[in-house]
Amino acid sequence: MIEQLLEYDTKLFLFLNNLGSPTWDSLWLVITHEVTFVPLYAILLFLLYKKFGLKALLIFVVLVALMITFTDQITNVFKRGFQRPRPCGEANLIDHIRFIAVRCGKYGFFSGHASNSMAAAVFAGLMLRPYYKNLIFILLLWSAVVAYSRIYVGVHYPLDIFCGLTFGAIGGFLFYKLANYFLVRFKAV
C-alpha cells in the first residue's frame, strides 16, 4: 500500500515537475526563495498593527516567531525521522526531472516551505478575517503557489507538499487560537 502510494507520488511529481520550461525558471526560483516574501510578512504585520494596536502587535510578533520556529523544527524532525530522499537526490530520477534549485538537500518529507507559508497564511488570514474577509483566500493561494514552487524546482514530491500544507494549516490555526487567548489575557484588544 505505502509502496503504491509512493509510486503514484513519484509519477505525479514527474508530471508536475516536467510542466516547467526555461522561460519560467527564473520566476519560480524567485518564488521559492526564502526572503522573497519578507515584504508580504511586513505588510501583514502592519495590517495587524493597524487593526489591533501596538500591544497586540508585540504579541503577534512573538507568536509568529514561535509559530515559524515550531513548524520549521517539526518539519526537520519529520525529515530526519522518515529520511525520505528528495527527488533531486534519487539517482534513478535525476535524468527525468527538471532540477533547477540552488541545492538539493538530503531529505524532503515534509516541505518546510509549504508548512511555514501555510501557517502564516492561516494565522494572518484568520486574525484579519473580520476586517478583510477575502484576504485569507489570497493568502491560501499564495501558500499553494509557494508550495508548488518546490515541485517545480525539483526538491519535493507532491506528498511532501500536501503533508507540509496540512501541518502548516494545523499549526497556523493553533497559533491563531493562542493569539486570541493572549490578546484577551493581556487585554490587548
Side-chain angles (χ1 to χ4, degrees), residues 66-160:
L66 289 172
M67 178 181 70
I68 297 302
T69 301
F70 171 74
T71 57
D72 199 52
Q73 293 308 307
I74 296 298
T75 297
N76 289 333
V77 168
F78 272 77
K79 285 179 182 176
R80 291 183 194 112
F82 281 92
Q83 296 186 353
R84 182 182 189 195
R86 292 176 183 258
C88 53
E90 293 278 4
N92 60 332
L93 287 182
I94 199 67
D95 292 334
H96 305 286
I97 70 173
R98 298 184 72 255
F99 174 62
I100 62 164
V102 177
R103 64 181 189 82
C104 183
K106 195 167 185 175
Y107 303 123
F109 184 79
F110 51 86
S111 169
H113 278 72
S115 65
N116 290 340
S117 65
M118 182 56 81
V122 169
F123 178 83
L126 290 174
M127 289 307 306
L128 292 167
R129 189 169 178 129
Y131 310 103
Y132 308 101
K133 70 178 186 167
N134 293 320
L135 179 62
I136 191 165
F137 302 112
I138 294 167
L139 293 174
L140 293 174
L141 176 62
W142 157 75
S143 178
V145 169
V146 170
Y148 171 73
S149 74
R150 306 306 287 165
I151 295 170
Y152 186 98
V153 301
V155 297
H156 280 292
Y157 292 101
L159 191 57
D160 302 345

